[in-house]
């Protein structure tokens, strides 16, 4: 069945806005749900609200085939309570709201850091276990949210005949036009003279993925979510071809 209508939760963010643009190019009807509205497009229906509130979110999901959840407090906020409330409790609410609105597919933007234990990973696969000691609290809540979304995958119809197919996409650093996070941080650090140091032998690798690849991966995952598909309930790393020296 062709997917036609979708909601991008966090559609005013860096990744979410690129996702909306590619979805429109592919002929989808798009709703955006976000706590703030930072842009406009006559082809898009905007809903403003907090994803932690059922009454805010359900109206944005009604009549929708697929929900993309790419909302999160900024990594740099350092606010533990906010991370827990939005990433964990909020994601549980997203799942509940999808069920209430009978949305059948949910794609989560997770993070590759959910498998990072502080040791180098080269050619890591999705078989890696979740980090037993996540590198920070943000990552702890990304693990909690990913587990909830994967666990919520329900291919057999419930008593009301509803299903919910879920999948998680795990980028590491995302770059591209409009990036408000990584590039500005690097520039700021350079301005402060903090880019003159090398940790280790200078051959550390880090994985950055262009935002268009991350977005494409989300759409392919949504289109592959069907009953009986091996994608259901899984998590996928998303990357460019090669990691780069950092
Ligand atoms: P972003 O900060 O640019 O966008 C996040 C959006 O979520 C914002 O528009 C914000 O207003 C919205 N939001 C936050 N709290 C909300 C709430 N309670 N209710 C509704 N909307 C809310 O972030 P981004 O870089 O676009 O990241 C998108 C997703 O990708 C996040 O889940 C993030 O964890 C993940 N991710 C990002 C990177 C990266 O390098 N940017 C890397 C790995 C994973």
């Amino acid at each position: 069945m062709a997917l036609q209508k979708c909601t991008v939760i966090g559609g005013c963010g860096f990744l979410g806005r690129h996702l909306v643009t590619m979805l429109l190019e592919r002929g989808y009807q798009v709703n955006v749900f976000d706590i703030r509205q930072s842009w406009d497009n006559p082809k898009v229906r905007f809903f403003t609200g907090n994803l932690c509130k059922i009454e805010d979110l359900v109206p944005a999901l009604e009549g929708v085939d697929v929900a993309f959840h790419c909302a999160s407090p900024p990594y740099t906020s350092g606010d533990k309570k906010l991370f827990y409330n939005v990433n964990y409790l909020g994601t549980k609410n997203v799942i509940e709201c999808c069920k209430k609105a009978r949305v059948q597919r949910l794609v989560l933007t997770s993070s590759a850091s959910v498998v990072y234990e502080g040791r180098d990973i080269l050619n890591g696969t999705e078989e890696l276990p979740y980090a037993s000691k996540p590198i920070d609290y943000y990552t702890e809540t990304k693990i909690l949210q990913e587990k909830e979304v994967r666990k919520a995958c329900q291919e057999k119809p419930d008593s009301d005949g509803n299903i919910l197919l879920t999948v998680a996409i795990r980028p590491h650093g995302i770059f591209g036009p409009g990036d408000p996070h990584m590039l500005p941080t690097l520039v700021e650090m350079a301005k402060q003279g903090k880019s003159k140091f090398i940790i280790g032998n200078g051959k550390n690798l880090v994985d950055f993925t262009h935002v268009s690849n991350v977005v494409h991966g989300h759409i392919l995952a949504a289109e592959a979510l069907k009953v009986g598909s091996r994608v259901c309930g899984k998590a996928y790393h998303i990357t460019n071809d090669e990691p780069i020296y950092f």
Side-chain angles (χ1 to χ4, degrees), residues 9-17 33-38 48-53 69-75 82 85-87 90 108-113 138 142 145 169-175 178-182 208-209 214 218:
I9 303 168
C12 288
F14 167 47
L15 178 68
R17 188 169 171 175
F33 179 87
D34 204 294
I35 206 159
R36 57 176 179 135
Q37 186 179 344
S38 59
T48 309
N50 185 343
L51 64 84
C52 300
K53 293 189 181 165
H69 174 13
C70 50
S72 169
Y75 176 84
L82 188 66
N85 285 342
V86 177
N87 286 351
L108 170 73
T109 315
S110 180
S111 167
S113 63
Y138 160 85
K142 294 299 283 183
Q145 74 163 182
I169 300 296
R170 295 173 176 170
H172 184 52
I174 306 173
F175 70 97
D179 162 27
H181 306 296
M182 193 184 63
F208 291 120
T209 309
V214 180
H218 279 66

Side-chain angles (χ1 to χ4, degrees), residues 81-129:
K81 199 167 168 211
L82 188 66
F83 286 145
Y84 187 81
N85 285 342
V86 177
N87 286 351
Y88 179 50
L89 299 180
T91 296
K92 284 171 70 138
N93 190 52
V94 168
I95 293 165
E96 268 321 297
C97 291
C98 283
K99 288 181 182 169
K100 266 191 192 304
R102 300 179 171 229
V103 175
Q104 295 199 334
R105 292 165 184 79
L106 171 62
V107 180
L108 170 73
T109 315
S110 180
S111 167
S113 63
V114 300
V115 296
Y116 183 61
E117 292 277 11
R119 288 187 299 277
D120 293 346
I121 300 175
L122 191 57
N123 299 325
T125 71
E126 288 79 8
E127 304 302 313
L128 288 165

Side-chain angles (χ1 to χ4, degrees), residues 20-39:
V20 172
T21 303
M22 196 179 280
L23 286 165
L24 290 172
E25 282 165 11
R26 290 181 164 230
Y28 284 79
Q29 284 179 54
V30 186
N31 291 339
V32 161
F33 179 87
D34 204 294
I35 206 159
R36 57 176 179 135
Q37 186 179 344
S38 59
W39 64 291

Side-chain angles (χ1 to χ4, degrees), residues 39-71:
W39 64 291
D40 208 359
N41 181 326
K43 290 191 183 142
V44 177
R45 191 159 171 217
F46 286 87
F47 295 79
T48 309
N50 185 343
L51 64 84
C52 300
K53 293 189 181 165
I54 289 187
E55 65 275 21
D56 285 0
L57 187 51
V58 167
L61 294 173
E62 273 159 356
V64 158
D65 301 302
V66 55
F68 295 92
H69 174 13
C70 50

